[in-house]
Amino acid sequence: MPDTLSDRLRAYAEVAGQLDVDAVALVPGPNFTRALGQSFMSHERPFVLVIPADKPPAALLPNLELGSWQATGFDGAVFDWRDQTGYDAAFAELLSHLEITSLAVEGQVMRVFVHHALKAAQPDLRIIDAEREISALRMIKTPQDVTALRKAVQISERALTRTLKTIKLGQSEKEIEQTLVRMIFEEGADGLAFTPIVAAGDNSARPHAHARHDYKVKAGDALLFDFGAQADGFCADITRTVFLDHVSDEGRDVYDTVLRANLAGLAVTRAGVTAHDIDDTVTGVLEASPYADRIRTKTGHGLGREVHEAPYIVRGNQMPLPAGTVYTNEPGLYELGSFGVRIEDDVLVTEDGYETLTQFPKELMVISC
Amino acid sequence: MPDTLSDRLRAYAEVAGQLDVDAVALVPGPNFTRALGQSFMSHERPFVLVIPADKPPAALLPNLELGSWQATGFDGAVFDWRDQTGYDAAFAELLSHLEITSLAVEGQVMRVFVHHALKAAQPDLRIIDAEREISALRMIKTPQDVTALRKAVQISERALTRTLKTIKLGQSEKEIEQTLVRMIFEEGADGLAFTPIVAAGDNSARPHAHARHDYKVKAGDALLFDFGAQADGFCADITRTVFLDHVSDEGRDVYDTVLRANLAGLAVTRAGVTAHDIDDTVTGVLEASPYADRIRTKTGHGLGREVHEAPYIVRGNQMPLPAGTVYTNEPGLYELGSFGVRIEDDVLVTEDGYETLTQFPKELMVISC
């Protein structure tokens, strides 16, 4: 990341120029945090930073944020609004000041009420979704970013190691999840990257399962952990699937298939490989197995300030991954009503290969409990 | 909350009828969770539940969610899409199936990329922001909702009590925050309602401050805690401001002013009072003090599955609060560069008055440390 606020804002101005729009708008979220070096809340209060291609930036923000805002060093125009008077006038003043006719926004971050407020203030404003191009600036991680990611991963792995030692048959998924969460914080997390998935038995076949209060883990269960700590603004995202007490032949075979897919994806990873090629390789291994009908997801996604971000590792995405990209390699096989297996690494792309930030063992693990 | 999925969906169909639009759309978030009895993730994957005024509902969802989706008991049409093929065709099929010309959406939840996908599939679809009307169904809390809120508040208060006993001069804000977070989880939280604010000295004057690594608390500091546990899907949101070692006359006077404002707001609370009247009363106390120029926020907001939700307690909002509403009463006074004080209760509106879910003492507290 460039070192000064004006360098960082200039990079977004260049995106506007490349997109041939008059300006880029950022709202609180990962790009906003990256640009300003500080995070802000939004909730019901609109907060917009507009960076024109060739004019100084301007911001619209809730008056209550002025103190925190000044600490960013931003020296462009500021249009603040107060709860008591509402924000319509501030949008009108902002757009009148900017004199723009087109605006690129982060479609996966900006919410419809802000979109509507912009259109209400200037009905002929052309708003385009440039999520991909705006967020692309976050794709190549700096050494400091990688340090933060590594810290988040290491906290997560220490917490998992400790949690696995506490598991007893008859515990609920929810109890195991609570142990995991407590240990994530004891190990030094600033927060959770997302609500952890702790899913046993049939629940492990739901890629985004919720831990259940009323399911007690039993011998032979697959037990899937998908979770991550947040540290210094960055997210870990790791999945491991273990078996309790014993594993069936089918469980072992499915596990081996998923692990081979994960390893095949690593083997083709180096700077310049496309997202398509990684997914094609990983998914190709799964498709060639007897379990092709259990495929439910793409291979993975970028990882950084957000737990899901560009690049999306999916067939058809011909984006070459530059060195410094961090992505998740997380093949899985899911048989609804039976069980699922997923193995997920956080992978740093390097010039001549890759480094897995996740170091937790991937050999099939059967827990005695 | 009505007991069955079809009862709950019918309530949204009625909102569509009242708004005179063909349908209401929900996306993952608090209304979605309330309607379906289960939460879902979205990230980069569109997920939309459409409830027409007078036809059966239909859903568009990522294929990987089918297993969890079936558990909701939803029996309408489902248009699923896979990562590998994308979602454009599914949006076209959904809208072709629905035959609608207007759609009410949650403007503070739906993101622009979903809005754009809807418009791309049907350019003449009229999309209106009905955040207020859709979320209004969450405003009156059921007894079960209140039980969950009470649990979240009690966890939060036990964590604060324990944290206050550990504070030493010279600790950083960040260290104190980490202690608080650990104790929130030890006390049984499922998650954090939001990233806690632990702000001392000049940072306490920023309503949405972030805990600093490099600021060590010192004698005479105001120390503001604004935080909440999440439990059973509901959020606590409590603020207390204490002073370390001693308090200045100005600090005491500001504290007393804020407390009087908080108490005045409670005094006028009962079913039927308007949001305007509460804010007018609370803010009126602050305005009549010597510190009127330190006012930066409205009085508060609704509280439930979301930490900020309707009703917004702000002048001009003439909505009468029905019994069962839970709102935050959180007046504050903030002198930039100096210090701030905020006192926040979570208040349940009852037929003949109110109940404060927050029970933590509000008398001025000077911590010996």
Side-chain angles (χ1 to χ4, degrees), chain A residues 168-186:
Chain A
K168 301 277 171 242
L169 298 182
Q171 283 184 313
S172 71
E173 290 172 349
K174 197 74 192 173
E175 286 174 291
I176 298 170
E177 182 204 37
Q178 285 171 336
T179 302
L180 178 68
V181 167
R182 188 160 46 80
M183 290 177 174
I184 291 169
F185 281 100
E186 285 179 7

Side-chain angles (χ1 to χ4, degrees), chain A residues 39 44-45 63-65 83-84 107-108 110-113 181 185 207-208 210 279 296 298 308 312, chain B residues 39 44-45 63-65 83-84 107-108 110-113 181 185 207-208 210 279 296 298 308 314:
Chain A
S39 70
E44 75 276 20
R45 296 182 175 106
N63 174 273
L64 72 111
E65 300 286 7
D83 287 339
Q84 276 77 8
Q108 289 182 24
M110 180 180 281
R111 289 169 292 158
V112 168
F113 81 119
V181 167
F185 281 100
H208 287 169
H210 297 275
D279 187 38
R296 301 204 152 255
K298 61 182 180 281
H308 283 219
Y312 298 98
Chain B
S39 70
E44 76 275 19
R45 295 181 174 108
N63 174 272
L64 71 109
E65 300 285 7
D83 288 340
Q84 275 76 8
Q108 290 183 24
M110 181 181 280
R111 290 169 291 158
V112 168
F113 81 119
V181 167
F185 282 100
H208 287 169
H210 296 275
D279 188 37
R296 301 204 151 255
K298 61 181 180 281
H308 283 219
V314 60

Side-chain angles (χ1 to χ4, degrees), chain A residues 200-251:
Chain A
D202 63 320
N203 212 17
S204 63
R206 297 176 177 143
H208 287 169
H210 297 275
R212 298 172 291 194
H213 281 285
D214 61 352
Y215 183 87
K216 316 290 188 188
V217 302
K218 59 184 203 303
D221 273 353
L223 176 59
L224 184 153
F225 294 87
D226 183 352
F227 71 103
Q230 192 179 47
D232 298 341
F234 283 77
C235 297
D237 186 6
I238 170 172
T239 306
R240 290 294 185 268
T241 308
V242 301
F243 290 85
L244 302 184
D245 186 70
H246 65 271
V247 56
S248 67
D249 288 346
E250 183 194 357

Side-chain angles (χ1 to χ4, degrees), chain B residues 98-173:
Chain B
L98 286 168
E99 297 184 331
I100 57 175
T101 62
S102 55
L103 185 64
V105 308
E106 313 152 274
Q108 290 183 24
V109 188
M110 181 181 280
R111 290 169 291 158
V112 168
F113 81 119
V114 175
H115 183 278
H116 277 37
L118 289 163
K119 293 289 277 185
Q122 185 178 327
D124 68 355
L125 182 66
R126 190 166 60 88
I127 296 177
I128 69 156
D129 179 356
E131 173 70 41
R132 174 191 293 240
E133 293 81 1
I134 296 170
S135 292
L137 296 186
R138 298 208 319 274
M139 210 169 80
I140 300 181
K141 270 61 186 178
T142 66
Q144 299 94 301
D145 295 350
V146 173
T147 298
L149 278 163
R150 208 184 297 276
K151 178 176 170 184
V153 167
Q154 289 170 353
I155 289 168
S156 307
E157 295 189 332
R158 291 198 301 269
L160 180 59
T161 300
R162 289 177 57 195
T163 300
L164 288 179
K165 290 180 182 154
T166 69
I167 294 173
K168 300 277 170 244
L169 298 181
Q171 283 184 313
S172 70
E173 291 172 347

Side-chain angles (χ1 to χ4, degrees), chain A residues 19-31:
Chain A
L19 290 167
D20 202 20
V21 295
D22 293 337
V24 160
L26 303 181
V27 294
N31 298 316

